[in-house]
């Protein structure tokens, strides 16, 4: 079984609609994928329907925009939390997702103003048109507008020079505190897994002792160990850690279609026994698969 538990669609910053995502997953010889769009579930049911037609299992997923301060009162870092099996009709989680998406929308104007001041003239309407069909407007959509206007070559250049954290057009938005996010995922029946834990944005906030605290005092369920952003040594360290604490170890591509290079479907995968543990936990919590 080939299992890829973190993919994106046009419901956030991926470039494949649910049908195409499913077709590409079959082409990549996957048996199971999870659709984990940023801060919304819009593609999950359509992808599950397409999956049923071609014999691909599609797990209900979510990638929640969270934050955590670095240890010893350091700066706030963005940390992504994967939620598997959250009930879509959970009111408390739904309200938080609405807040997150409003925060995404609320910063677009200011980012456009900053880009304009740098000589890159784009409008909020350009961005909303680019994000058409996505409930979660993101910087990748802004990057795509910049690419379309010939200001940058690709999303990567847009982030490196303008949109990334600390770059001149960066504007922060609302993020859910990580422990709150874990609680929301679990109370809606879901399983909470920290995404790309030691990726470039989150490592400083998540040293091993903090990860361990998240397990002991917030009940975190697992860690995405195998991910394109993690080198061999990181996987070894995080893998040892998940073993020692009995956590679920997942692996995934974080596929974004053509929106991200190095994240081809199935580049990293989840072991079958870990997937079974995940699904059993969702069922025990009364979640929605
Ligand atoms: P936002 O959702 O607006 O906070 O934007 C963050 C998203 O941008 C992340 O989910 C990544 O998928 C994407 N991203 C971050 N850096 C890059 C990059 N260098 N190239 C392409 N996409 C990126
Ligand atoms: Fe993304
Ligand atoms: Fe992420
Ligand atoms: Zn992702």
């Amino acid at each position: 079984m080939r299992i890829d538990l973190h993919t994106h669609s046009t419901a956030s910053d991926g470039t494949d609609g649910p049908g195409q995502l499913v077709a590409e997953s079959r082409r990549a010889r996957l048996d199971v994928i999870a659709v984990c769009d940023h801060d919304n579930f819009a593609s999950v049911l359509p992808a599950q329907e397409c999956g049923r037609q071609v014999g691909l299992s599609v797990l209900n997923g979510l990638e929640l925009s969270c934050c955590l301060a670095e240890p010893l009162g350091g700066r706030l870092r963005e940390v992504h939390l994967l939620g598997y099996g959250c009930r879509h009709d959970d009111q408390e989680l739904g309200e938080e997702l609405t807040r997150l998406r409003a925060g995404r929308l609320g910063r677009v104007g200011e980012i456009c103003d900053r880009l304009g001041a740098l000589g890159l003239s784009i409008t909020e309407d350009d961005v909303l048109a680019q994000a058409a069909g996505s409930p979660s407007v993101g910087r990748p959509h802004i990057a795509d507008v910049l690419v379309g206007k010939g200001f940058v070559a690709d999303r990567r250049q847009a982030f490196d020079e303008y949109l990334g954290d600390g770059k001149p057009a960066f504007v922060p938005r609302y993020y859910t505190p990580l422990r709150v996010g874990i609680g929301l995922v679990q109370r809606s029946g879901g399983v909470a897994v920290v995404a790309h834990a030691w990726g470039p944005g989150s490592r400083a906030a998540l040293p091993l002792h903090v990860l361990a605290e998240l397990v002991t005092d917030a009940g975190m369920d697992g860690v995405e160990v195998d991910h394109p952003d993690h080198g061999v040594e990181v996987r070894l360290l995080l893998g040892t850690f998940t073993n020692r604490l009995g956590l679920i170890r997942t692996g995934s591509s974080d596929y974004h279609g053509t929106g991200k290079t190095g994240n081809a479907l199935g580049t990293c995968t989840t072991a079958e026994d870990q997937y079974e543990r995940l699904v059993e936990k969702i069922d025990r919590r009364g979640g929605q698969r």
Side-chain angles (χ1 to χ4, degrees), residues 256-287:
H256 282 68
T258 57
K260 238 179 184 181
T261 45
N263 299 67
L265 282 164
T267 355
C268 298
T269 53
T270 300
E272 205 170 327
D273 63 325
Q274 300 300 305
Y275 175 63
E276 279 162 12
R277 288 177 67 195
L278 183 64
V279 163
E280 277 164 22
K281 255 193 173 178
I282 294 171
D283 289 348
R284 243 180 289 134
R285 289 188 185 152

Side-chain angles (χ1 to χ4, degrees), residues 10-13 37-40 101 104 131 133-138 141:
T10 47
S12 63
D13 52 0
D37 277 308
H38 299 289
D39 306 325
N40 81 86
R101 293 193 300 261
R104 289 173 163 282
S134 166
S136 290
V137 183
H141 300 117

Side-chain angles (χ1 to χ4, degrees), residues 16 31 50 67-68 70 94 143-144 147 151 153 172 193 225 277 287 289:
D16 292 354
D31 303 286
C50 296
C67 62
L68 187 67
E70 287 172 17
D144 290 345
V147 173
F151 290 131
V193 174
V225 173
R277 288 177 67 195
R289 279 205 265 142

Side-chain angles (χ1 to χ4, degrees), residues 6 8 38 63 80-82 195-196 224 227 254 256 260:
H6 181 170
H8 292 267
H38 299 289
E63 187 170 19
H80 289 176
L81 181 68
L82 296 163
H196 40 75
E224 189 178 55
H227 183 282
D254 206 354
H256 282 68
K260 238 179 184 181

